[in-house]
Amino acid sequence: MPTQQYDLVIIGAGTGGIPCAVEAAGRGARVLLVEKDGRVGGTLHTTGGHLSAGGTRRQRERGIEDSVAAHLADIERISGGTARADLVELAARNAPETVDWLEDHGFAFAPESPRLVYGHEPYGVARTYYGKDAGLSILAVLKRLLDEQVEAGRVELWLSSTAIGLVEAPGTAPTVTVLRGGVEEVEVRTAALVLATGGFAADVELFEEIEGVPLVSAAHPTSTGDGLVIAREAGAAIAGRGRYLPTFGGLPHPTTPGKAYFEERPLLVAAERPPWEIYVDRAGRRFVAEDEPSIDLKERALAAATDGTFWTVFDDAARRNSVPMVVGWSPEDVLAKAGTRAGVHRADTLAELAALTGIDPAGLAATVDRYNAAVAAGHDAEFGRTHLPAPIAAGPFFAMENHAITLVTFSGVDVDGHLRVRRTDGRAMEGVYALGEIIGAAATCGNSFCGGMLVTPALTFGRLLGRRLAPAPATATA
Ligand SMILES: Cc1cc2nc3c(=O)[nH]c(=O)nc-3n(C[C@H](O)[C@H](O)[C@H](O)COP(=O)(O)OP(=O)(O)OC[C@H]3O[C@@H](n4cnc5c(N)ncnc54)[C@H](O)[C@@H]3O)c2cc1C
């Protein structure tokens, strides 16, 4: 097998891998960047790309008072202290510099950002930044910087090349086996190896084995856990088990079972659209106050009280008045998609709706009766819902199938505070590092979703590690 040698080898040219390569190469390291896809970017092609940082130049220019300490306090509040304190601190301390750095390199901020965002439990101040083109705005910056380093010959980029094995032993440099171009196995030796291969929410078997729940995935298709698999085979420990939390609701994919379709996102956050509908499970039972302001609480109720599937049930008045039910859909779109798009149903009676969806008919009828009585009384004794605009009374009736969906994986390769991969006996692997979603969302979000606390740490850890792993100037290869 041919063998090659580099100062630094990074597996995965995505959110965290590219900035790592750029920073190391900028300091003189000879870098190999290995990417299994035919293009760079990874999840940046799919992600909302929300970033969070407290105390940026952009906040100061807008008169927004914020700080790292306030960001840390919010993460502690939202995650209930379930994240890795050392990694959260490392991420939050360096996050403002990451956002300023993106800006220095021409990042196309959406003009309204930073702002308060309600898709996850909101922060206390306007701290969420995003680009005009979501993740692609980040990729535009990273790609430009990477292209410069590739053209200068400091980064060698192997596209369509998959890391398939890893050997680590005390006293020797790590070795990774790469299936280069899909045809030739190459053994690569390196002083430092960085695994930046993303999460595993696009691999059903691995997901169900490690996270222990069924998968309805909205993840980027390259997130198949390759890095985790090869690291585990080489002895790495897995951290973050039991921290999984689903995202609240997503329509089924139009054609593919087991997948959700993030582009058609139901608007289920009460602050963004006060609900006219009820949510019911297969038995036709409600499980949470639909106007509950905390999306975190709704996610937990969904995970605890259902099998992960629920339906929003509403009548024609709700269809016309509560807009948009799905981001980008008009009331007419709901009508047009009913019966034609997977998961969207319409019927003249509740009994017919139950038959179409598989919801228990008696359960649905009883629940709607109780809900309508609550609307009439102006008081929902069961769940304490206060937004009770109208009964579900006049057909046609609608039901939209929703799932507890998965965008990211919470478990991942265990790392120490220097991002060195740890073995099951706690020993840090020599020269093997991991960053990004491969270390698990739980590292920086705990058992919760803290806005921007995946993309920002991936970029930040990539930059920090790239700087740290570049060889000292005297020995650096030009
Ligand atoms: C729909 C969606 C919306 C999201 N929104 C947000 C958000 O707004 N804010 C936020 O903070 N987080 C968000 N996330 C999560 C966040 O985007 C990801 O966690 C993050 O982008 C992952 O970065 P990464 O560098 O770890 O992986 P990626 O960016 O996925 O990069 C990994 C790269 O490694 C490559 N690779 C994998 N295996 C191999 C192999 N064996 N050999 C070579 N290459 C390999 C992949 O092809 C890929 O290019 C979202 C996720 C999704 C799916």
Side-chain angles (χ1 to χ4, degrees):
M1 202 192 300
T3 303
Q4 306 210 13
Q5 177 108 28
Y6 295 84
D7 296 329
L8 173 61
V9 174
I10 301 160
I11 310 297
T15 318
I18 301 176
C20 189
V22 164
E23 291 285 353
R27 280 161 179 74
R30 189 162 168 263
V31 179
L32 172 65
L33 181 58
V34 179
E35 170 53 53
K36 76 171 174 180
D37 206 354
R39 60 179 181 175
V40 302
T43 302
L44 289 175
H45 291 280
T46 302
T47 181
H50 285 195
L51 304 152
S52 60
T56 60
R57 186 168 56 220
R58 193 170 167 88
Q59 283 177 317
R60 282 194 297 280
E61 284 166 2
R62 281 161 178 69
I64 301 165
E65 254 186 60
D66 199 8
S67 64
V68 168
H71 191 190
L72 285 169
D74 266 348
I75 294 169
E76 177 77 12
R77 167 179 60 82
I78 293 167
S79 69
T82 54
R84 276 271 303 270
D86 54 344
L87 297 178
V88 169
E89 168 109 23
L90 186 67
R93 284 222 173 281
N94 293 283
E97 208 257 325
T98 295
V99 172
D100 292 352
W101 172 80
L102 282 173
E103 186 172 35
D104 290 340
H105 290 285
F107 179 65
F109 285 102
E112 70 277 14
S113 78
R115 68 173 179 89
L116 280 175
V117 166
Y118 295 93
H120 299 309
E121 211 60 20
Y123 285 126
V125 294
R127 188 186 291 135
T128 302
Y129 316 75
Y130 46 92
K132 283 199 289 210
D133 297 318
L136 294 178
S137 299
I138 302 173
L139 181 55
V141 171
L142 297 187
K143 177 130 186 357
R144 205 177 318 120
L145 295 172
L146 177 64
D147 287 347
E148 280 170 22
Q149 296 298 343
V150 171
E151 276 159 31
R154 287 187 286 261
V155 173
E156 207 173 308
L157 174 64
W158 292 0
L159 290 173
S160 306
S161 299
T162 307
I164 54 173
L166 157 64
V167 177
E168 183 269 350
T172 59
T175 304
V176 62
T177 307
V178 178
L179 186 59
R180 187 173 181 184
V183 288
E184 182 194 20
E185 280 192 24
V186 182
E187 198 176 82
V188 185
R189 294 218 180 95
T190 176
L193 173 69
V194 176
L195 301 173
T197 51
F200 56 94
D203 186 291
V204 181
E205 281 173 23
L206 192 61
F207 180 87
E208 295 188 1
E209 179 223 317
I210 294 183
E211 300 289 36
V213 291
L215 175 64
V216 179
S217 175
H220 191 66
T222 58
S223 299
T224 50
D226 301 22
L228 181 143
V229 168
I230 61 173
R232 185 165 70 167
E233 282 168 5
I238 305 298
R241 278 200 162 98
R243 294 271 194 261
Y244 172 80
L245 189 66
T247 290
F248 193 81
L251 299 179
H253 192 277
T255 55
T256 310
K259 282 194 173 182
Y261 196 52
F262 200 65
E263 275 94 292
E264 293 182 322
R265 189 170 58 86
L267 201 56
L268 301 172
V269 176
E272 295 179 334
R273 181 181 62 83
W276 282 47
E277 71 270 40
I278 55 170
Y279 311 152
V280 299
D281 65 8
R282 277 180 212 286
R285 283 185 304 239
R286 291 171 67 211
F287 55 92
V288 73
E290 293 80 359
D291 64 348
E292 164 58 52
S294 164
I295 191 70
D296 180 80
L297 204 146
K298 286 168 91 165
E299 284 159 353
R300 284 174 209 286
L302 176 63
T306 75
D307 65 359
T309 300
F310 70 99
W311 288 261
T312 58
V313 173
F314 51 97
D315 67 4
D316 206 47
R319 177 187 67 82
R320 283 182 275 108
N321 289 304
S322 192
V323 180
M325 288 283 181
V326 175
V327 176
W329 287 16
S330 67
E332 292 69 38
D333 289 334
V334 176
L335 210 52
K337 286 171 195 288
T340 59
R341 194 234 182 266
V344 184
H345 305 279
R346 170 197 167 163
D348 288 335
T349 65
L350 286 171
E352 285 167 301
L353 197 67
L356 281 175
T357 54
I359 304 170
D360 177 70
L364 180 62
T367 295
V368 171
D369 280 350
R370 273 201 306 280
Y371 175 72
N372 289 348
V375 174
H379 174 65
D380 171 25
E382 270 181 293
F383 294 97
R385 171 171 169 168
T386 55
H387 182 70
L388 299 160
I392 298 171
F397 298 98
F398 297 85
M400 281 196 208
E401 183 181 325
N402 270 273
H403 296 275
I405 65 167
T406 298
L407 279 59
V408 301
T409 34
F410 283 72
S411 305
V413 167
D414 188 30
V415 291
D416 68 10
H418 303 288
L419 302 170
R420 293 180 303 186
V421 172
R422 276 197 291 229
R423 293 185 156 274
T424 46
D425 63 7
R427 176 177 74 77
M429 288 188 172
E430 280 181 31
V432 183
Y433 300 80
L435 59 88
E437 203 182 310
I438 186 178
I439 68 171
T444 46
C445 294
N447 169 229
S448 75
F449 292 103
C450 298
M453 279 305 285
L454 281 160
V455 169
T456 327
L459 294 167
T460 302
F461 292 169
R463 298 189 62 226
L464 290 175
L465 209 51
R467 285 185 221 158
R468 188 161 11 112
L469 296 179
T475 59
T477 318

